[in-house]
Amino acid sequence: MPTILYNPLNNKIRKILFIGILCVAATACNDDFLEKTPETDIDAGSFFNTEQDLNLYANNLYDFPSTGIYTSEAYNLTDNAFSTGNVELKTMVTTNPSSTTITGGWEWGQLRNVNFFLDRFRKANITEDRLNHFEGLARFFRARFYVDKVKRYSDVPWIDVPLEANSEDILFAARDPRETVVNHIMEDYEFALNNVDVSAPTGAVNRWVVKADYARFLLYEGTFRKYHTELKLSNSASDFLQKAVDVAKDIMDNGSFQIYTTNKPNEDYGSLFANADLSGNKEIILARFYQANVLNGDSGEGVFGNYETYPQKNLVQAYLMKDGSFYSRQPNYQQNEFVQEFRDRDPRLYQTYAYPGWVLVRSGTYAQGTGLYVQQLAKNFSGYHQIKGFYNSTDQDTRNNMDVPLYRFAEILLIYAEAKAEIGQLTQSDLDITVNQLRDRVGMPHMTLNPPIDPVEVAKFPNVTSVQRAEILEIRRERRVELAFEGQRHDDLMRWEAGKFLENEPQGIYFASLGKHDLTGDGIPDIYLLPASQSIPNNKETNSLGKVLQYYRVGTFGQDVSLFLKNATSGNVQIIEDMGIFVSPKYYYRPIPQQQIVLNPNLKQIFDWE
């Protein structure tokens, strides 16, 4: 079958012209549910008449993320990354939230735009095949819209007609059950995957994008139903998981995708996230494309860290050793200092985190400056820094040129493997065509059936009791490592019913004692930790390389110091004093904003929200 990628000789130029049209999606409104679309915005009598009209309107439905994927795991709150900002879930677990304080998310503008299109597009004088393609596109975006609503609220009103001024049945609609809404979502996906064009210009939605998004949702819904007993839908979980297997396998067998590799295990993985042209990369199912001075990209300095978001130690500890053994099997692994914990690890760690010996080129406001990476330590930050998705160049045009991978073939392989394990049907052959392809890229040992069980992972996920528990836990690790900082981790924790794990305080790098410490791996000290009782001297010590040591006064929360350590004079860098309580099952969902309940009394709160 034809591939997703469209590669004429001037593909880069064509690509940018196309994404220039798509950029209008960024201005899409977030209107209130009760406002109707102004019909004067588009004159239905003079529009929707040609394929060009339909293309122009459909382009405005594009709602994919961009470089924000690299920091979304911090802003959404996960065990991968943390944010110093007042992000929603952090506010929930540390306060007493209600429908008057949790008010975001109840936007319906995208749905009205889709339904407006679906009500009018058949006016166009084009073939039935083309009409079905455009209907498929619109229904795909409606499915995506409702997937987000189901994730947030579970039960929501299903609306598939345009809103009119006299549409009281819509304006005062009650919530439809999750099963009803999900059935409609699947109908939309199924129509789209059977009718959207197989191939499309680079950056546009084609049938493979539809299938990738569908497979992602099927895995989410299947595992959510399996692990969330409060829904009383666990009996249908296996159907969703089997469907996820089928859709993923279709992509694997009939799409022309493959894992990107040039046999450079220390480079290939990371190069996917700092690449000026992903249009010819066969791992990419969909990306956001950028061109300097036409449509500028650049992920921003905040990705690196010490702005609002930063990585956590917990993710560092998830990576396997280079020989495939658990990092947790290392003696006293929790007391390893920064240099030690990066020794002999999965190469993806070095392509995701700044590591000892890494060289910083783009310093921006980073006080330590360019050159050999030495952490800039500060209160409320972990001491770790992210290089995945960080464009380490001083050239603005180079940074603005970087493309962002949104759907990778790697994720499809992981969807297939996880769904097969969840239904207890995973084989060694399945592992070899999925997880082991990802490990081959980075030169890691293969995963086998009946792998050893890591007690650390068991403690995280005590609700995994399936016959292939060991396989599920290792596939979850592989997914976490492979998709780190791509915006998937929050949904994963929610669907696995692992929200309680977010009560654990996020931690930073470990220091065994006060005094001098090497952070670059050359055996020469770079920083000096002083007790809270001492002042930083005016005449700072210089190391054998002629570099002035960076001094920090350390202590515990409440003290006037530069850095918090768990035991005041030793331990992990501390980020927040109290992570609060994750109330289950309540916090897996959000309340409908109280103002909407006032406007429409037929909307009722569920899962103990008030």
Side-chain angles (χ1 to χ4, degrees):
M1 299 181 71
T3 70
I4 180 177
L5 300 175
Y6 176 67
N7 281 312
L9 292 177
N10 57 347
N11 186 48
K12 184 75 172 179
I13 297 174
R14 289 175 181 266
K15 173 187 77 176
I16 299 307
L17 289 175
F18 181 78
I19 60 176
I21 296 172
L22 294 189
C23 70
V24 298
T27 65
C29 59
N30 289 326
D31 300 321
D32 186 88
F33 176 59
L34 296 180
E35 296 178 5
K36 73 185 187 75
T37 304
E39 294 184 1
T40 54
D41 284 358
I42 294 179
D43 185 348
S46 60
F47 203 74
F48 298 110
N49 296 319
T50 67
E51 182 158 344
Q52 181 182 13
D53 290 346
L54 302 188
N55 267 319
L56 286 172
Y57 193 103
N59 288 342
N60 195 47
L61 300 178
Y62 278 65
D63 58 351
F64 297 103
S66 181
T67 55
I69 65 171
Y70 298 128
T71 53
S72 66
E73 291 179 5
Y75 286 123
N76 286 326
L77 196 63
T78 69
D79 53 349
N80 281 359
F82 201 76
S83 171
T84 61
N86 293 321
V87 300
E88 183 181 71
L89 188 51
K90 186 169 76 171
T91 299
M92 286 169 55
V93 299
T94 56
T95 64
N96 185 25
S98 71
S99 60
T100 61
T101 60
I102 306 299
T103 58
W106 196 256
E107 293 90 16
W108 296 79
Q110 172 78 339
L111 178 64
R112 290 198 311 277
N113 291 339
V114 170
N115 287 340
F116 186 84
F117 177 86
L118 287 170
D119 188 59
R120 292 161 173 80
F121 80 101
R122 284 193 172 270
K123 289 175 67 270
N125 185 24
I126 57 177
T127 65
E128 184 68 18
D129 180 67
R130 300 308 298 149
L131 287 170
N132 287 339
H133 161 74
F134 284 104
E135 180 177 353
L137 273 182
R139 293 181 69 170
F140 166 70
F141 284 112
R142 185 167 65 189
R144 282 175 50 81
F145 169 85
Y146 266 109
V147 166
D148 286 343
K149 287 292 180 280
V150 167
K151 287 179 179 179
R152 186 170 177 86
Y153 301 106
S154 195
D155 299 351
V156 290
W158 173 264
I159 302 168
D160 57 7
V161 294
L163 182 64
E164 305 294 343
N166 60 351
S167 302
E168 290 193 9
D169 56 331
I170 298 175
L171 297 175
F172 297 99
R175 302 170 83 149
D176 288 308
R178 185 186 188 108
E179 308 97 291
T180 300
V181 178
V182 168
N183 286 341
H184 286 306
I185 288 172
M186 293 179 68
E187 289 170 358
D188 278 351
Y189 272 125
E190 290 287 341
F191 186 91
L193 69 82
N194 285 311
N195 290 282
V196 170
D197 289 345
V198 174
S199 60
T202 303
V205 171
N206 63 19
R207 195 169 299 184
W208 302 112
V209 177
V210 172
K211 291 179 179 180
D213 198 71
Y214 190 22
R216 181 184 287 181
F217 168 67
L218 289 165
L219 180 68
Y220 178 92
E221 186 66 11
T223 48
F224 200 97
R225 292 187 181 205
K226 179 175 181 177
Y227 292 105
H228 285 266
T229 57
E230 73 274 7
L231 292 178
K232 297 180 173 59
L233 296 173
S234 58
N235 288 341
S236 59
S238 60
D239 294 335
F240 285 86
L241 293 168
Q242 182 59 58
K243 185 66 175 178
V245 168
D246 296 341
V247 175
K249 195 61 162 63
D250 176 35
I251 299 171
M252 293 161 63
D253 290 345
N254 299 311
S256 297
F257 306 106
Q258 61 189 44
I259 295 302
Y260 170 76
T261 179
T262 64
N263 297 315
K264 296 179 180 178
N266 296 323
E267 299 176 18
D268 288 339
Y269 172 78
S271 70
L272 290 168
F273 311 100
N275 195 306
D277 191 359
L278 289 172
S279 62
N281 190 305
K282 289 191 174 182
E283 183 168 340
I284 303 304
I285 300 175
L286 182 69
R288 283 291 299 269
F289 296 100
Y290 293 98
Q291 178 69 44
N293 304 312
V294 177
L295 185 62
N296 291 328
D298 194 352
S299 56
E301 295 169 356
V303 170
F304 180 67
N306 283 52
Y307 171 60
E308 280 190 354
T309 67
Y310 44 86
Q312 293 190 43
K313 173 182 283 292
N314 191 276
L315 175 56
V316 174
Q317 295 182 328
Y319 289 80
L320 296 172
M321 301 299 293
K322 180 65 176 172
D323 63 5
S325 62
F326 305 139
Y327 177 64
S328 59
R329 284 185 174 176
Q330 300 295 303
N332 301 314
Y333 76 97
Q334 292 175 317
Q335 284 76 50
N336 281 343
E337 294 203 14
F338 181 71
V339 172
Q340 178 63 34
E341 64 184 346
F342 278 81
R343 287 178 181 159
D344 300 320
R345 305 294 297 277
D346 182 331
R348 284 171 291 192
L349 177 58
Y350 314 114
Q351 296 168 71
T352 302
Y353 276 69
Y355 53 85
W358 182 74
V359 176
L360 177 64
V361 175
R362 179 190 184 186
S363 64
T365 58
Y366 194 61
Q368 308 299 82
T370 61
L372 197 61
Y373 165 65
V374 177
Q375 281 93 326
Q376 175 183 327
L377 302 176
K379 289 185 293 186
N380 305 118
F381 291 90
S382 68
Y384 295 105
H385 293 89
Q386 177 181 336
I387 60 174
K388 182 175 178 178
F390 172 67
Y391 308 144
N392 192 27
S393 170
T394 57
D395 185 79
Q396 186 66 58
D397 283 351
T398 296
R399 302 199 300 264
N400 283 336
N401 234 7
M402 298 298 182
D403 297 337
V404 181
L406 299 178
Y407 293 84
R408 295 195 287 129
F409 187 52
E411 182 188 351
I412 302 304
L413 301 184
L414 291 166
I415 289 172
Y416 179 82
E418 183 180 347
K420 287 279 291 217
E422 287 285 3
I423 58 179
Q425 297 178 4
L426 186 75
T427 67
Q428 185 61 51
S429 176
D430 292 329
L431 287 173
D432 290 341
I433 62 175
T434 57
V435 170
N436 290 334
Q437 284 199 47
L438 305 181
R439 293 194 175 188
D440 283 343
R441 167 163 52 198
V442 292
M444 286 289 291
H446 280 191
M447 179 181 169
T448 61
L449 285 180
N450 302 310
I453 294 181
D454 185 353
V456 174
E457 295 302 304
V458 171
K460 289 179 183 177
F461 306 113
N463 59 346
V464 178
T465 58
S466 305
V467 63
Q468 293 192 310
R469 179 179 70 158
E471 288 83 355
I472 289 172
L473 294 177
E474 284 310 301
I475 290 169
R476 288 185 180 187
R477 182 203 304 276
E478 193 72 20
R479 179 179 175 88
R480 185 183 189 186
V481 165
E482 178 68 26
L483 302 180
F485 306 136
E486 294 180 54
Q488 302 283 344
R489 185 63 177 177
H490 175 78
D491 279 354
D492 288 346
L493 293 177
M494 296 301 101
R495 65 188 175 90
W496 295 331
E497 211 248 336
K500 295 293 285 184
F501 190 65
L502 298 178
E503 294 178 358
N504 296 333
E505 294 176 15
Q507 295 183 330
I509 60 180
Y510 181 86
F511 292 102
S513 64
L514 300 180
K516 303 174 188 178
H517 294 268
D518 167 31
L519 296 178
T520 62
D522 57 7
I524 300 172
D526 305 290
I527 67 170
Y528 204 136
L529 302 184
L530 299 176
S533 59
Q534 292 187 19
S535 299
I536 295 176
N538 292 325
N539 296 319
K540 298 177 182 178
E541 185 176 330
T542 301
N543 65 20
S544 60
L545 297 176
K547 300 289 186 180
V548 176
L549 296 181
Q550 301 296 320
Y551 282 69
Y552 298 94
R553 294 174 61 250
V554 301
T556 59
F557 291 108
Q559 291 184 294
D560 182 18
V561 293
S562 307
L563 193 67
F564 299 133
L565 291 185
K566 180 68 174 178
N567 304 311
T569 59
S570 66
N572 293 110
V573 170
Q574 298 296 286
I575 295 166
I576 185 171
E577 190 169 9
D578 182 9
M579 269 303 297
I581 302 296
F582 186 97
V583 181
S584 182
K586 182 177 180 178
Y587 288 1
Y588 289 106
Y589 312 92
R590 300 294 184 271
I592 295 176
Q594 181 60 31
Q595 62 183 19
Q596 298 300 324
I597 301 290
V598 172
L599 291 169
N600 177 8
N602 291 321
L603 294 172
K604 307 297 182 183
Q605 303 289 10
I606 57 178
F607 296 114
D608 297 325
W609 281 106
E610 297 178 356

